[in-house]
Amino acid sequence: MVNMKITEQEIIKAQELWAENIIKIGKLYTERGNYKDYAHNFVKDFYAYDFGKVLFKPTLASKNQFRNTFDEALSYFIKGSIQEDEGFALKCWDSIRFKERNIIILDDYAIAMGNYFFKSSNEDNEIKVEYTFGYIRNTMQSLVINLHHSSLPYKNN
């Protein structure tokens, strides 16, 4: 199988789909739909756990900072095996937008870094989060994430 060079447009589309799916998980949760199966498929479709190692350091993780397994990642998004998790995707985000995106493409691997903004009707302001995502292709040639690091910006007290 020949790997095709990853394009910037593919990364932008992957990020838009990632955001749409996080929002959908929250909506299903609110509507008492099958958000658990949907979230399971989201992690399976968007992260490279089936293909190798994934480096995942989510924003709101402090005691169990790194999510090295599929189940640990799923726990972060919808509550599960890790006690500190509150279900990031269950916060019912109304919008998620990526901005100030910088991308490095190395043929069949790409890294994107920037800010993404989360808005919920339960919050007065958008929440600004810093991210770094690494992308590879899966066997279907779709982009999946094998590096996900996000954090809240430093605040000087």
Side-chain angles (χ1 to χ4, degrees):
M1 179 182 313
V2 175
N3 282 332
M4 300 178 304
K5 183 174 182 174
I6 294 172
T7 67
E8 189 169 318
Q9 192 56 38
E10 285 179 295
I11 293 167
I12 291 167
K13 183 64 177 171
Q15 290 177 342
E16 290 170 353
L17 289 171
W18 184 93
E20 288 171 16
N21 278 271
I22 292 289
I23 291 167
K24 176 75 174 181
I25 293 166
K27 285 186 177 173
L28 285 170
Y29 175 72
T30 301
E31 297 166 356
R32 301 191 192 290
N34 194 352
Y35 71 94
K36 289 182 179 181
D37 282 350
Y38 194 90
H40 182 275
N41 290 332
F42 164 76
V43 174
K44 188 168 187 53
D45 293 344
F46 282 83
Y47 289 84
Y49 288 103
D50 287 346
F51 309 100
K53 196 171 212 172
V54 175
L55 305 176
F56 183 15
K57 190 324 191 166
T59 309
L60 301 177
S62 62
K63 293 181 180 121
N64 294 78
Q65 294 172 276
F66 307 106
R67 305 309 169 87
N68 300 316
T69 69
F70 180 93
D71 287 335
E72 291 171 341
L74 185 60
S75 176
Y76 178 72
F77 289 114
I78 62 166
K79 300 183 201 177
S81 61
I82 298 177
Q83 188 173 3
E84 74 177 310
D85 291 338
E86 295 181 9
F88 180 80
L90 305 183
K91 294 187 181 292
C92 302
W93 303 109
D94 294 322
S95 68
I96 302 169
R97 62 186 178 88
F98 286 78
K99 198 165 179 194
E100 299 155 353
R101 179 186 293 126
N102 291 286
I103 297 171
I104 297 171
I105 297 173
L106 304 168
D107 293 326
D108 58 352
Y109 184 72
I111 303 168
M113 177 189 284
N115 293 310
Y116 45 3
F117 298 82
F118 296 82
K119 178 74 175 128
S120 170
S121 56
N122 300 331
E123 303 284 331
D124 291 334
N125 300 319
E126 279 186 318
I127 299 169
K128 178 181 179 180
V129 179
E130 302 161 344
Y131 76 88
T132 303
F133 285 179
Y135 294 96
I136 59 172
R137 292 191 187 279
N138 64 15
T139 55
M140 303 299 291
Q141 296 300 307
S142 299
L143 293 188
V144 289
I145 299 165
N146 72 346
L147 165 66
H148 174 158
H149 181 279
S150 58
S151 57
L152 295 172
Y154 172 74
K155 289 184 181 180
N156 190 359
N157 297 331

